[in-house]
Amino acid sequence: MKKFKDWQYFQLEMIIESEEPDDIHRIDLMTWKRWLNHALKRTHGLFGEAIEYTILNQEDKIAYIQVGFQDKDVFSTATSTYISNSELLGAPAVVRIEQETPDLKKLEVTEDDLIWYKRVTEEEGENATISKT
């Protein structure tokens, strides 16, 4: 029996097209959410707005996102093709997909990310155990 994957995991990096120093543009959680929502809406309309995602962790220009496996292509297309205008960040911004995997354990994280990563992998393990019984 083929096992259905529930989730797709992304590591995204936001790149701001500005001549100002990089440290001037600090990206917070709300800015990431707004950028992602704009990208999904602009590229896929109402269908894109309906895509659910979870930001597992975000630190400045790097974000780790969990998306339903069935929505991975829509999410990937939206994030990799959308260019925001300067209203959101004061300069146009794009997002680069650094990693994409259906297996959370294959997601490469830095040492600074180990705390949230361990919590998420434990939660996923508990959910997998619950769904098997």
Side-chain angles (χ1 to χ4, degrees):
M1 184 169 122
K2 186 177 179 180
K3 184 182 176 202
F4 177 74
K5 296 285 184 184
D6 292 328
W7 305 110
Q8 187 79 354
Y9 300 93
F10 292 86
Q11 177 193 10
L12 305 177
E13 178 182 10
M14 189 172 293
I15 301 164
I16 300 165
E17 303 294 325
S18 173
E19 294 185 15
E20 297 174 354
D22 233 14
D23 58 346
I24 287 179
H25 299 283
R26 301 287 302 165
I27 312 301
D28 61 9
L29 184 61
M30 287 308 297
T31 303
W32 267 103
K33 287 181 179 182
R34 287 180 60 208
W35 194 97
L36 291 169
N37 290 340
H38 283 277
L40 289 164
K41 182 179 181 179
R42 295 281 165 96
T43 55
H44 297 288
L46 290 174
F47 181 69
E49 282 186 298
I51 301 296
E52 291 186 34
Y53 63 87
T54 303
I55 298 178
L56 301 173
N57 191 56
Q58 172 274 324
E59 189 170 326
D60 194 22
K61 294 173 182 69
I62 302 292
Y64 293 89
I65 314 289
Q66 177 186 48
V67 178
F69 191 79
Q70 67 280 6
D71 297 325
K72 69 181 177 65
D73 293 332
V74 171
F75 186 85
S76 177
T77 302
T79 56
S80 61
T81 60
Y82 177 68
I83 301 172
S84 69
N85 58 26
S86 58
E87 289 178 18
L88 184 61
L89 296 163
V94 296
V95 164
R96 177 174 51 211
I97 299 172
E98 294 289 330
Q99 294 182 66
E100 180 180 351
T101 179
D103 186 354
L104 180 61
K105 293 180 178 154
K106 291 184 180 178
L107 193 64
E108 296 174 15
V109 297
T110 65
E111 200 169 303
D112 294 340
D113 295 315
L114 289 179
I115 293 173
W116 71 263
Y117 180 75
K118 285 180 182 179
R119 177 185 48 81
V120 171
T121 54
E122 288 171 359
E123 288 173 3
E124 184 182 77
E126 290 171 7
N127 290 339
T129 304
I130 291 169
S131 65
K132 288 181 182 177
T133 56

